[in-house]
Amino acid sequence: VNALLEVVKDKRIGLDAEWEIREEGGRRAGRGKINTIQIGYRNLSGKVNVLIFRTEKWTSLPNRLETLLLDNSITIAGNKVSGDLKYIGDDFNVQ
């Protein structure tokens, strides 16, 4: 994450979060805790990089990752990214 903060081009990142869907009796019963966070970005030379964080054992986000996600100068894009950010906040106590 430290390198990403230094080399992210245009202050834009792509974000996706994954979690297990809980089922009871063959029906959706809710979602489990986030187990993967993926961040894509274009570095200063234009190369696309993707960071994949396995988070199933985390109780909180590393400080630098939390700082990145809370940085208002960085645009975060993704499919239904507002939901992903909400769930990240809920699961890892990020305000």
Side-chain angles (χ1 to χ4, degrees), residues 27-40:
R27 303 188 75 163
R28 266 190 168 175
R31 70 168 186 90
K33 184 174 172 282
I34 288 175
N35 57 30
T36 305
I37 297 173
Q38 301 168 80
I39 296 177

Side-chain angles (χ1 to χ4, degrees), residues 43-57:
N43 68 17
L44 297 176
S45 66
K47 180 180 176 188
V48 174
N49 296 280
V50 178
L51 302 174
I52 300 173
F53 301 97
R54 300 294 303 180
T55 62
E56 60 269 347
K57 295 181 182 177

Side-chain angles (χ1 to χ4, degrees), residues 83-94:
D84 288 349
L85 289 168
K86 179 190 179 319
Y87 292 154
I88 290 169
D90 291 348
D91 288 356
F92 300 107
N93 299 312
V94 176

